[in-house]
Amino acid sequence: MRKNGLILIVIFLMLSVNWTSGLAAELFTEIPDPVSNEKSVSDAPEVIRDRTVRIDFDLLVSGNEPIELNVFDDVTYSAIMDRRQNNQDGSFTWIGMIQNQPESSVVLTANLETRIVSGTVFVDFKTYAINYVDRDVYSIVEIDPSQFPEDDDSPVLDSDEPVDSTPDSTSENTSAKKVSDPGNIMTILVVYTTRVLNELPGSTVKQKEEVLRSRIYTELVSANQSFAASGIKTELEVAYFLHTSY
């Protein structure tokens, strides 16, 4: 009887290990009462709800198994990595999608040294943003894009004089000669002001700049994914980041 009991225990443990190994690991751990000097984003009109979490960086580094994106207690997705992009500042961007959701997108930019993370999740017509708040403290926000202010598409004229819309007679010939550049890569100079930095989390200018770069890298990858889904062959790349006091 004792031998049979030991065999049953061993079998039970083996089954338990096999069952748990098939589960995706959770990326987020909720912080009930975070201590932070950063102002809450809950009052913004586009915010549906938000919470504060910690992030398991080991899961982002491995990229071997599905990651469980437990963005909220009642919302969890299994994300699989497509590729990993290394950035100029030493950070990397985890690029993937939600399992069995081909039109979804998951983009997470992380810096292992500074522990700064920025990310977006698009799935089922829902949008989630993950952002750095403080050391090992991050926010997850569910966003309603329809609540963002509308763009003003009206043209801005310097004077009341009529605009001559007649095309230059040489423009067509000039454009036809510029065939050496395929135009599929667009490099961008990112210029930011001190006022922009002051709106970002972080206790030093360096930290704020790292937060800004993380968000830019994330947004550029998301933009490139949108281009590809629309059949647009253009890709955006960062050439340089420039801080100006203007």
Side-chain angles (χ1 to χ4, degrees):
M1 289 294 294
R2 186 173 183 179
K3 182 178 181 180
N4 291 338
L6 291 174
I7 293 175
L8 288 174
I9 292 174
V10 171
I11 292 175
F12 174 76
L13 291 175
M14 291 176 64
L15 289 174
S16 299
V17 170
N18 290 333
W19 179 73
T20 55
S21 63
L23 295 178
E26 290 187 343
L27 183 62
F28 306 117
T29 303
E30 186 169 15
I31 304 176
D33 298 307
V35 178
S36 174
N37 294 326
E38 300 298 328
K39 57 185 178 182
S40 174
V41 298
S42 302
D43 296 333
E46 68 272 12
V47 173
I48 298 175
R49 54 178 170 167
D50 66 322
R51 72 168 181 154
T52 310
V53 298
R54 299 195 190 281
I55 293 179
D56 187 341
F57 277 78
D58 292 337
L59 296 180
L60 292 178
V61 174
S62 65
N64 296 326
E65 299 179 355
I67 296 177
E68 189 172 358
L69 298 179
N70 50 323
V71 289
F72 289 98
D73 292 337
D74 59 338
V75 180
T76 300
Y77 303 103
S78 290
I80 52 177
M81 187 175 73
D82 175 49
R83 59 190 174 91
R84 171 172 160 163
Q85 170 183 296
N86 294 322
N87 302 318
Q88 299 173 2
D89 64 346
S91 66
F92 67 90
T93 302
W94 192 104
I95 305 168
M97 58 182 290
I98 302 300
Q99 207 163 25
N100 302 320
Q101 296 275 4
E103 296 185 357
S104 64
S105 169
V106 180
V107 180
L108 298 166
T109 299
N111 190 310
L112 299 180
E113 181 179 353
T114 62
R115 312 284 288 184
I116 290 176
V117 174
S118 173
T120 55
V121 179
F122 301 103
V123 58
D124 292 333
F125 301 100
K126 295 182 178 180
T127 302
Y128 303 94
I130 299 98
N131 282 309
Y132 173 88
V133 175
D134 205 344
R135 181 72 178 180
D136 288 326
V137 179
Y138 310 87
S139 67
I140 302 177
V141 181
E142 182 177 358
I143 297 173
D144 180 3
S146 66
Q147 296 301 313
F148 286 121
E150 295 184 1
D151 293 330
D152 185 3
D153 297 328
S154 59
V156 178
L157 303 179
D158 294 333
S159 68
D160 296 331
E161 297 180 3
V163 178
D164 183 6
S165 59
T166 304
D168 187 345
S169 60
T170 61
S171 61
E172 184 176 352
N173 295 332
T174 302
S175 299
K177 294 178 182 178
K178 296 178 180 179
V179 294
S180 60
D181 183 3
N184 62 319
I185 302 296
M186 183 181 296
T187 55
I188 298 175
L189 171 63
V190 180
V191 181
Y192 54 93
T193 63
T194 302
R195 180 178 178 182
V196 170
L197 286 183
N198 290 339
E199 295 294 324
L200 296 174
S203 57
T204 65
V205 172
K206 183 179 179 180
Q207 276 188 334
K208 292 175 181 290
E209 288 179 329
E210 290 169 348
V211 170
L212 175 70
R213 288 195 293 266
S214 178
R215 294 186 182 184
I216 293 295
Y217 285 129
T218 297
E219 293 301 327
L220 287 187
V221 170
S222 297
N224 288 336
Q225 288 181 322
S226 298
F227 288 161
S230 302
I232 302 173
K233 297 182 179 181
T234 299
E235 291 187 14
L236 305 177
E237 290 184 356
V238 175
Y240 192 72
F241 291 90
L242 179 63
H243 179 202
T244 176
S245 58
Y246 173 76

